[in-house]
């Protein structure tokens, strides 16, 4: 009896030791911070103000990171490939639970467990995917989108039948109605949640996070599981990313107004990775700043060709190219861009503004007034940008 008791104690000690080792391994890749890291991207943007961590919050996050690390060591290696990840606490705006980006992960108050509901593990896993793929390169790969786009289409069609969009469904309060809607999405598409139908990037993060959170009761389709396991979860890829480094250098130079140097860096990024969508986009912006509008239009076209149908950037890229087309007297091309952008994202200011400009150039004054008025309604803070074109359309109509 005594020996059996000692054996049980030994097993428990080994389990505890293993869990402690997992937490320690995860902790080595993270730095808890109560203030922004000097010179970091988040310090420059200042989108939020860090809140000091409490001791209990640190312990909780370490434990949950250990859970994710044990299941997906490759995710951690990829996320921390360029160095430790800064962990922040903040009161995030807009209902966000957490945010992930290059070498940073910010946890909001609403991500922490509450009585009867605990989604912290899933949220951390979700944001770690964004940290591991900060420039949306994996989520833009054709292999991923060949699997995910038909599922997003099916999920959106199912939600549309009950008069919901992915964002509206994801914002439903926790309860029977939300459970019913999420079950509908899973049955119709194989996606784990309504939010997974928002775009290709969020689909990647949602599928991984539900896949790792055993409490969620979700198993992805075999083709998606195989892709994620091979490319993100189990391959320990801590190698440096020279294309990403060149891209970050381009961003730094562009922020300093050194657009010639920025173009050189963005060109190096696309030389190293010919599918680097955001590098083409940022090079287009720098070329715009230098007045090279034809070259900028070409770069936007390159980025659009690489952007999946449900990429978060596609509506923006179409709208940006469209404005350059309007200025180049290609109103028909601009109208085609704005029409596609509006179909992808409802009530999108950039697309509405572009449609108004394109219709004005084509002497469709009534249509221009309608779209420009809608743009001002969507983003009242941009009224000053809209008003001159709206006045011109109204004057031309009479």
């Amino acid at each position: 009896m005594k020996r059996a008791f000692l054996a049980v104690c030994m097993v428990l000690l080994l389990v505890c030791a293993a869990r402690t080792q997992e937490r320690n391994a995860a902790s080595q890749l993270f730095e808890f911070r109560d203030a922004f890291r000097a010179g970091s991207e988040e310090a420059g943007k200042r989108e939020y103000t860090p809140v000091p961590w409490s001791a209990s919050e640190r312990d909780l996050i370490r434990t949950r990171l250990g859970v994710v690390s044990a299941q997906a060591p490759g995710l951690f290696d990829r996320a921390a490939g360029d160095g430790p990840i800064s962990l922040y606490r903040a009161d995030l705006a807009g209902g966000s639970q957490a945010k992930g980006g290059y070498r940073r992960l910010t946890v909001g108050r609403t991500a922490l467990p509450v009585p009867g509901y605990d989604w912290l593990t899933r949220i951390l896993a979700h944001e770690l995917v964004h940290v591991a793929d900060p420039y949306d390169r994996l989520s833009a790969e054709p292999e991923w989108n060949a699997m995910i786009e038909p599922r997003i289409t099916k999920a959106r069609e199912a939600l549309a039948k009950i008069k919901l969009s992915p964002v509206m469904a994801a914002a439903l309060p926790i309860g029977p109605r939300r459970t019913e809607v999420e079950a509908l999405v899973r049955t119709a598409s194989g996606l784990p949640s309504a939010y997974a139908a928002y775009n290709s990037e969020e689909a990647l993060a949602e599928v991984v996070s539900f896949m790792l959170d055993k409490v969620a009761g979700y198993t992805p389709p075999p083709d998606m599981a195989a892709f994620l396991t091979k490319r993100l979860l189990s391959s320990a890829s801590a190698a440096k990313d020279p294309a990403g480094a060149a891209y970050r250098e381009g961003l730094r130079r562009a922020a300093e107004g050194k657009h010639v140097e920025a173009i050189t860096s963005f060109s190096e990024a696309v030389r190293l990775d010919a599918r680097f969508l955001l590098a083409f986009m940022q090079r287009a912006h720098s070329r715009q700043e230098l007045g090279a509008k034809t070259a900028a239009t070409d770069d936007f076209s390159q980025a659009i060709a690489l952007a999946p149908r449900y990429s978060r950037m596609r509506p923006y890229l179409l709208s940006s190219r469209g404005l350059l087309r309007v200025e180049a007297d290609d109103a028909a091309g601009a109208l085609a861009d704005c029409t596609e952008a509006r179909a992808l994202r409802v009530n999108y200011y950039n697309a509405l503004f572009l449609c108004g400009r394109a219709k004005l150039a084509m002497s469709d004054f009534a249509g221009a007034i309608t779209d420009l008025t809608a743009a001002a309604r969507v983003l009242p803070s941009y009224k000053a940008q809209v008003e001159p074109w709206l006045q011109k359309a109204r004057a031309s109509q009479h």
Side-chain angles (χ1 to χ4, degrees), residues 122-164:
R122 191 158 77 243
I123 288 173
L124 291 175
H126 179 111
E127 297 305 333
L128 275 169
V129 173
H130 291 313
V131 178
D133 189 29
Y135 310 125
D136 302 332
R137 290 153 74 191
L138 183 61
S139 62
E141 287 197 4
E143 184 180 353
W144 171 249
N145 283 279
M147 294 182 284
I148 205 67
E149 284 186 5
R151 299 183 186 281
I152 290 177
T153 298
K154 289 178 181 177
R156 290 188 175 193
E157 289 172 348
L159 289 170
K161 289 179 181 178
I162 56 174
K163 296 181 170 38
L164 288 175

CSV table of all heavy atoms in Angstrom, one decimal, residues 122-164:
chain,number,residue,atom,x,y,z
A,122,ARG,N,-7.6,30.0,-25.8
A,122,ARG,CA,-7.9,30.2,-27.2
A,122,ARG,C,-7.4,31.5,-27.7
A,122,ARG,O,-6.9,31.7,-28.8
A,122,ARG,CB,-9.4,30.0,-27.4
A,122,ARG,CG,-9.7,29.8,-28.9
A,122,ARG,CD,-11.1,29.1,-29.0
A,122,ARG,NE,-12.2,29.9,-28.7
A,122,ARG,CZ,-13.1,29.7,-27.7
A,122,ARG,NH1,-12.9,28.7,-26.9
A,122,ARG,NH2,-14.1,30.5,-27.5
A,123,ILE,N,-7.6,32.6,-26.9
A,123,ILE,CA,-7.3,33.9,-27.3
A,123,ILE,C,-5.8,34.0,-27.5
A,123,ILE,O,-5.3,34.6,-28.4
A,123,ILE,CB,-7.8,35.0,-26.3
A,123,ILE,CG1,-9.3,35.1,-26.5
A,123,ILE,CG2,-7.1,36.3,-26.5
A,123,ILE,CD1,-10.0,36.0,-25.4
A,124,LEU,N,-5.0,33.5,-26.5
A,124,LEU,CA,-3.5,33.5,-26.6
A,124,LEU,C,-3.1,32.8,-27.8
A,124,LEU,O,-2.2,33.3,-28.6
A,124,LEU,CB,-2.9,32.9,-25.3
A,124,LEU,CG,-3.1,33.7,-24.1
A,124,LEU,CD1,-2.5,33.0,-22.9
A,124,LEU,CD2,-2.4,35.1,-24.2
A,125,ALA,N,-3.6,31.6,-28.1
A,125,ALA,CA,-3.2,30.9,-29.3
A,125,ALA,C,-3.6,31.7,-30.6
A,125,ALA,O,-2.8,31.7,-31.5
A,125,ALA,CB,-3.9,29.5,-29.3
A,126,HIS,N,-4.7,32.3,-30.6
A,126,HIS,CA,-5.2,33.1,-31.8
A,126,HIS,C,-4.1,34.2,-32.0
A,126,HIS,O,-3.7,34.4,-33.2
A,126,HIS,CB,-6.5,33.7,-31.5
A,126,HIS,CG,-7.1,34.6,-32.6
A,126,HIS,ND1,-8.1,34.2,-33.4
A,126,HIS,CD2,-6.7,35.8,-33.0
A,126,HIS,CE1,-8.4,35.2,-34.2
A,126,HIS,NE2,-7.5,36.1,-34.0
A,127,GLU,N,-3.8,35.0,-31.0
A,127,GLU,CA,-2.9,36.1,-31.2
A,127,GLU,C,-1.5,35.6,-31.5
A,127,GLU,O,-0.7,36.3,-32.2
A,127,GLU,CB,-2.9,37.0,-30.0
A,127,GLU,CG,-4.3,37.7,-29.7
A,127,GLU,CD,-4.8,38.4,-30.9
A,127,GLU,OE1,-4.0,38.9,-31.8
A,127,GLU,OE2,-6.1,38.5,-31.1
A,128,LEU,N,-1.1,34.5,-31.0
A,128,LEU,CA,0.3,34.0,-31.3
A,128,LEU,C,0.4,33.7,-32.8
A,128,LEU,O,1.5,33.8,-33.3
A,128,LEU,CB,0.5,32.7,-30.4
A,128,LEU,CG,1.1,33.0,-29.0
A,128,LEU,CD1,1.1,31.7,-28.2
A,128,LEU,CD2,2.5,33.6,-29.1
A,129,VAL,N,-0.7,33.3,-33.4
A,129,VAL,CA,-0.7,33.1,-34.8
A,129,VAL,C,-0.3,34.4,-35.5
A,129,VAL,O,0.5,34.4,-36.5
A,129,VAL,CB,-2.0,32.5,-35.3
A,129,VAL,CG1,-2.0,32.4,-36.9
A,129,VAL,CG2,-2.2,31.1,-34.8
A,130,HIS,N,-1.0,35.5,-35.1
A,130,HIS,CA,-0.7,36.8,-35.7
A,130,HIS,C,0.8,37.2,-35.4
A,130,HIS,O,1.4,37.8,-36.3
A,130,HIS,CB,-1.6,37.8,-35.2
A,130,HIS,CG,-3.1,37.6,-35.6
A,130,HIS,ND1,-3.4,37.4,-37.0
A,130,HIS,CD2,-4.2,37.7,-35.0
A,130,HIS,CE1,-4.7,37.3,-37.1
A,130,HIS,NE2,-5.2,37.4,-35.9
A,131,VAL,N,1.3,36.8,-34.3
A,131,VAL,CA,2.7,37.2,-34.0
A,131,VAL,C,3.6,36.3,-34.8
A,131,VAL,O,4.6,36.8,-35.3
A,131,VAL,CB,3.0,36.9,-32.5
A,131,VAL,CG1,4.5,37.2,-32.2
A,131,VAL,CG2,2.1,37.7,-31.6
A,132,ALA,N,3.2,35.1,-35.1
A,132,ALA,CA,4.0,34.2,-35.9
A,132,ALA,C,4.0,34.5,-37.4
A,132,ALA,O,4.9,34.2,-38.2
A,132,ALA,CB,3.6,32.7,-35.7
A,133,ASP,N,2.9,35.2,-37.8
A,133,ASP,CA,2.7,35.6,-39.2
A,133,ASP,C,2.3,37.0,-39.3
A,133,ASP,O,1.2,37.4,-39.7
A,133,ASP,CB,1.5,34.7,-39.8
A,133,ASP,CG,1.4,34.9,-41.3
A,133,ASP,OD1,2.4,35.2,-42.0
A,133,ASP,OD2,0.3,34.7,-41.8
A,134,PRO,N,3.2,37.9,-38.8
A,134,PRO,CA,2.9,39.3,-38.6
A,134,PRO,C,2.5,40.1,-39.9
A,134,PRO,O,1.9,41.1,-39.9
A,134,PRO,CB,4.1,39.9,-37.9
A,134,PRO,CG,5.2,39.1,-38.3
A,134,PRO,CD,4.6,37.7,-38.5
A,135,TYR,N,3.1,39.6,-41.0
A,135,TYR,CA,2.8,40.3,-42.3
A,135,TYR,C,1.9,39.5,-43.2
A,135,TYR,O,1.8,39.7,-44.4
A,135,TYR,CB,4.2,40.6,-43.0
A,135,TYR,CG,5.2,41.2,-42.0
A,135,TYR,CD1,6.4,40.7,-41.8
A,135,TYR,CD2,4.8,42.4,-41.3
A,135,TYR,CE1,7.3,41.2,-41.0
A,135,TYR,CE2,5.7,42.9,-40.5
A,135,TYR,CZ,7.0,42.4,-40.3
A,135,TYR,OH,7.8,42.9,-39.4
A,136,ASP,N,1.1,38.6,-42.6
A,136,ASP,CA,0.1,37.8,-43.3
A,136,ASP,C,0.6,37.1,-44.5
A,136,ASP,O,-0.1,37.0,-45.6
A,136,ASP,CB,-1.1,38.8,-43.7
A,136,ASP,CG,-1.7,39.5,-42.5
A,136,ASP,OD1,-1.6,38.9,-41.4
A,136,ASP,OD2,-2.2,40.6,-42.7
A,137,ARG,N,1.8,36.6,-44.5
A,137,ARG,CA,2.3,35.9,-45.6
A,137,ARG,C,1.9,34.4,-45.7
A,137,ARG,O,1.5,33.9,-46.8
A,137,ARG,CB,3.9,36.0,-45.6
A,137,ARG,CG,4.4,37.4,-45.9
A,137,ARG,CD,5.7,37.6,-45.2
A,137,ARG,NE,6.8,37.0,-45.9
A,137,ARG,CZ,8.0,36.9,-45.4
A,137,ARG,NH1,8.3,37.4,-44.2
A,137,ARG,NH2,9.0,36.3,-46.1
A,138,LEU,N,1.8,33.8,-44.6
A,138,LEU,CA,1.3,32.4,-44.6
A,138,LEU,C,-0.2,32.3,-44.9
A,138,LEU,O,-0.6,31.5,-45.7
A,138,LEU,CB,1.6,31.7,-43.2
A,138,LEU,CG,1.1,30.3,-43.1
A,138,LEU,CD1,1.9,29.4,-44.1
A,138,LEU,CD2,1.3,29.8,-41.7
A,139,SER,N,-0.9,33.3,-44.4
A,139,SER,CA,-2.4,33.3,-44.6
A,139,SER,C,-2.7,33.7,-46.1
A,139,SER,O,-3.8,33.5,-46.5
A,139,SER,CB,-3.1,34.3,-43.7
A,139,SER,OG,-2.6,35.6,-43.9
A,140,ALA,N,-1.7,34.3,-46.8
A,140,ALA,CA,-1.9,34.6,-48.2
A,140,ALA,C,-1.5,33.6,-49.2
A,140,ALA,O,-1.7,33.7,-50.4
A,140,ALA,CB,-1.2,35.9,-48.5
A,141,GLU,N,-1.0,32.5,-48.7
A,141,GLU,CA,-0.5,31.4,-49.6
A,141,GLU,C,-1.6,30.7,-50.3
A,141,GLU,O,-2.7,30.5,-49.8
A,141,GLU,CB,0.3,30.4,-48.8
A,141,GLU,CG,1.7,30.9,-48.4
A,141,GLU,CD,2.6,29.8,-48.0
A,141,GLU,OE1,2.2,28.6,-48.1
A,141,GLU,OE2,3.7,30.1,-47.5
A,142,PRO,N,-1.4,30.5,-51.6
A,142,PRO,CA,-2.5,29.8,-52.4
A,142,PRO,C,-3.0,28.5,-51.8
A,142,PRO,O,-4.2,28.2,-51.9
A,142,PRO,CB,-1.8,29.6,-53.8
A,142,PRO,CG,-0.7,30.7,-53.8
A,142,PRO,CD,-0.3,30.8,-52.4
A,143,GLU,N,-2.1,27.7,-51.3
A,143,GLU,CA,-2.5,26.4,-50.7
A,143,GLU,C,-3.5,26.6,-49.6
A,143,GLU,O,-4.5,25.9,-49.5
A,143,GLU,CB,-1.3,25.6,-50.2
A,143,GLU,CG,-1.6,24.2,-49.7
A,143,GLU,CD,-0.4,23.5,-49.2
A,143,GLU,OE1,0.7,24.0,-49.3
A,143,GLU,OE2,-0.6,22.4,-48.6
A,144,TRP,N,-3.3,27.6,-48.7
A,144,TRP,CA,-4.2,27.8,-47.6
A,144,TRP,C,-5.5,28.3,-48.2
A,144,TRP,O,-6.6,27.9,-47.8
A,144,TRP,CB,-3.6,28.8,-46.7
A,144,TRP,CG,-4.6,29.3,-45.6
A,144,TRP,CD1,-5.1,30.6,-45.5
A,144,TRP,CD2,-5.1,28.6,-44.5
A,144,TRP,NE1,-5.9,30.7,-44.4
A,144,TRP,CE2,-6.0,29.5,-43.8
A,144,TRP,CE3,-5.0,27.3,-44.1
A,144,TRP,CZ2,-6.7,29.1,-42.7
A,144,TRP,CZ3,-5.8,26.9,-43.0
A,144,TRP,CH2,-6.6,27.7,-42.3
A,145,ASN,N,-5.5,29.3,-49.1
A,145,ASN,CA,-6.7,29.9,-49.6
A,145,ASN,C,-7.5,29.0,-50.5
A,145,ASN,O,-8.7,29.1,-50.6
A,145,ASN,CB,-6.4,31.2,-50.3
A,145,ASN,CG,-6.1,32.3,-49.3
A,145,ASN,OD1,-7.0,32.9,-48.7
A,145,ASN,ND2,-4.8,32.5,-49.0
A,146,ALA,N,-6.9,28.0,-51.1
A,146,ALA,CA,-7.6,27.0,-51.9
A,146,ALA,C,-8.5,26.2,-50.9
A,146,ALA,O,-9.6,25.8,-51.3
A,146,ALA,CB,-6.7,26.1,-52.6
A,147,MET,N,-8.1,26.0,-49.7
A,147,MET,CA,-8.9,25.3,-48.7
A,147,MET,C,-9.9,26.2,-48.0
A,147,MET,O,-11.0,25.8,-47.7
A,147,MET,CB,-8.0,24.7,-47.7
A,147,MET,CG,-7.1,23.6,-48.2
A,147,MET,SD,-6.1,22.8,-46.9
A,147,MET,CE,-4.8,24.1,-46.6
A,148,ILE,N,-9.5,27.4,-47.7
A,148,ILE,CA,-10.3,28.3,-46.8
A,148,ILE,C,-11.3,29.1,-47.5
A,148,ILE,O,-12.4,29.4,-47.0
A,148,ILE,CB,-9.3,29.2,-46.0
A,148,ILE,CG1,-10.0,29.6,-44.6
A,148,ILE,CG2,-8.9,30.4,-46.7
A,148,ILE,CD1,-10.2,28.5,-43.7
A,149,GLU,N,-11.1,29.6,-48.7
A,149,GLU,CA,-12.0,30.5,-49.4
A,149,GLU,C,-13.4,29.8,-49.6
A,149,GLU,O,-14.4,30.5,-49.4
A,149,GLU,CB,-11.4,31.0,-50.7
A,149,GLU,CG,-10.4,32.0,-50.5
A,149,GLU,CD,-9.9,32.7,-51.8
A,149,GLU,OE1,-10.4,32.3,-52.9
A,149,GLU,OE2,-8.9,33.5,-51.7
A,150,PRO,N,-13.5,28.6,-50.1
A,150,PRO,CA,-14.8,28.0,-50.3
A,150,PRO,C,-15.5,27.9,-49.0
A,150,PRO,O,-16.8,28.0,-48.9
A,150,PRO,CB,-14.5,26.6,-50.9
A,150,PRO,CG,-13.2,26.7,-51.5
A,150,PRO,CD,-12.4,27.7,-50.6
A,151,ARG,N,-14.8,27.6,-47.9
A,151,ARG,CA,-15.4,27.5,-46.6
A,151,ARG,C,-15.9,28.9,-46.1
A,151,ARG,O,-17.0,28.9,-45.5
A,151,ARG,CB,-14.5,26.9,-45.6
A,151,ARG,CG,-14.0,25.5,-46.0
A,151,ARG,CD,-13.1,24.8,-45.0
A,151,ARG,NE,-12.6,23.5,-45.5
A,151,ARG,CZ,-13.3,22.4,-45.4
A,151,ARG,NH1,-14.5,22.4,-45.0
A,151,ARG,NH2,-12.8,21.3,-45.9
A,152,ILE,N,-15.2,29.9,-46.3
A,152,ILE,CA,-15.6,31.2,-45.9
A,152,ILE,C,-16.9,31.6,-46.7
A,152,ILE,O,-17.8,32.2,-46.1
A,152,ILE,CB,-14.5,32.3,-46.2
A,152,ILE,CG1,-13.3,32.1,-45.2
A,152,ILE,CG2,-15.0,33.7,-46.1
A,152,ILE,CD1,-12.2,33.0,-45.4
A,153,THR,N,-16.9,31.3,-48.0
A,153,THR,CA,-18.1,31.6,-48.8
A,153,THR,C,-19.3,30.8,-48.2
A,153,THR,O,-20.4,31.4,-48.1
A,153,THR,CB,-17.8,31.1,-50.3
A,153,THR,OG1,-16.7,31.9,-50.8
A,153,THR,CG2,-19.1,31.4,-51.1
A,154,LYS,N,-19.2,29.6,-47.9
A,154,LYS,CA,-20.3,28.8,-47.4
A,154,LYS,C,-20.7,29.4,-46.0
A,154,LYS,O,-21.9,29.5,-45.8
A,154,LYS,CB,-19.9,27.3,-47.2
A,154,LYS,CG,-19.7,26.6,-48.5
A,154,LYS,CD,-19.3,25.2,-48.3
A,154,LYS,CE,-19.1,24.4,-49.6
A,154,LYS,NZ,-18.6,23.0,-49.4
A,155,ALA,N,-19.8,29.8,-45.2
A,155,ALA,CA,-20.1,30.3,-43.9
A,155,ALA,C,-20.9,31.6,-44.0
A,155,ALA,O,-21.9,31.9,-43.4
A,155,ALA,CB,-18.9,30.5,-43.0
A,156,ARG,N,-20.4,32.5,-44.9
A,156,ARG,CA,-21.1,33.8,-45.2
A,156,ARG,C,-22.5,33.6,-45.7
A,156,ARG,O,-23.4,34.3,-45.4
A,156,ARG,CB,-20.2,34.6,-46.1
A,156,ARG,CG,-18.9,35.1,-45.5
A,156,ARG,CD,-18.2,36.1,-46.4
A,156,ARG,NE,-17.1,36.7,-45.7
A,156,ARG,CZ,-16.4,37.8,-46.2
A,156,ARG,NH1,-16.8,38.4,-47.3
A,156,ARG,NH2,-15.3,38.2,-45.6
A,157,GLU,N,-22.6,32.6,-46.6
A,157,GLU,CA,-24.0,32.4,-47.2
A,157,GLU,C,-24.9,31.9,-46.1
A,157,GLU,O,-26.1,32.3,-46.1
A,157,GLU,CB,-23.8,31.3,-48.3
A,157,GLU,CG,-23.2,31.9,-49.6
A,157,GLU,CD,-22.9,30.8,-50.6
A,157,GLU,OE1,-23.0,29.6,-50.2
A,157,GLU,OE2,-22.5,31.1,-51.7
A,158,ALA,N,-24.4,31.0,-45.2
A,158,ALA,CA,-25.3,30.5,-44.1
A,158,ALA,C,-25.7,31.7,-43.2
A,158,ALA,O,-26.8,31.7,-42.7
A,158,ALA,CB,-24.6,29.4,-43.4
A,159,LEU,N,-24.7,32.5,-42.9
A,159,LEU,CA,-25.0,33.7,-42.0
A,159,LEU,C,-26.0,34.7,-42.6
A,159,LEU,O,-26.8,35.2,-42.0
A,159,LEU,CB,-23.7,34.4,-41.6
A,159,LEU,CG,-22.8,33.6,-40.6
A,159,LEU,CD1,-21.4,34.3,-40.5
A,159,LEU,CD2,-23.4,33.5,-39.3
A,160,ALA,N,-25.8,34.9,-43.9
A,160,ALA,CA,-26.7,35.8,-44.7
A,160,ALA,C,-28.1,35.4,-44.6
A,160,ALA,O,-29.0,36.2,-44.6
A,160,ALA,CB,-26.2,36.0,-46.1
A,161,LYS,N,-28.4,34.1,-44.6
A,161,LYS,CA,-29.7,33.6,-44.5
A,161,LYS,C,-30.4,33.9,-43.2
A,161,LYS,O,-31.7,34.0,-43.2
A,161,LYS,CB,-29.7,32.1,-44.8
A,161,LYS,CG,-29.4,31.6,-46.2
A,161,LYS,CD,-29.4,30.1,-46.3
A,161,LYS,CE,-29.0,29.7,-47.7
A,161,LYS,NZ,-28.9,28.2,-47.9
A,162,ILE,N,-29.7,34.2,-42.2
A,162,ILE,CA,-30.2,34.6,-40.9
A,162,ILE,C,-29.9,36.1,-40.6
A,162,ILE,O,-29.9,36.5,-39.5
A,162,ILE,CB,-29.8,33.7,-39.7
A,162,ILE,CG1,-28.3,33.6,-39.6
A,162,ILE,CG2,-30.3,32.3,-39.9
A,162,ILE,CD1,-27.8,32.9,-38.4
A,163,LYS,N,-29.5,36.8,-41.7
A,163,LYS,CA,-29.3,38.2,-41.7
A,163,LYS,C,-28.2,38.6,-40.7
A,163,LYS,O,-28.3,39.6,-40.0
A,163,LYS,CB,-30.6,39.0,-41.4
A,163,LYS,CG,-31.7,38.8,-42.4
A,163,LYS,CD,-33.0,39.5,-42.0
A,163,LYS,CE,-34.0,39.6,-43.2
A,163,LYS,NZ,-34.1,38.4,-44.0
A,164,LEU,N,-27.1,37.9,-40.8
A,164,LEU,CA,-25.9,38.2,-40.0
A,164,LEU,C,-24.7,38.3,-40.9
A,164,LEU,O,-24.6,37.5,-41.8
A,164,LEU,CB,-25.7,37.2,-38.9
A,164,LEU,CG,-26.7,37.2,-37.7
A,164,LEU,CD1,-26.4,36.0,-36.7
A,164,LEU,CD2,-26.7,38.5,-36.9
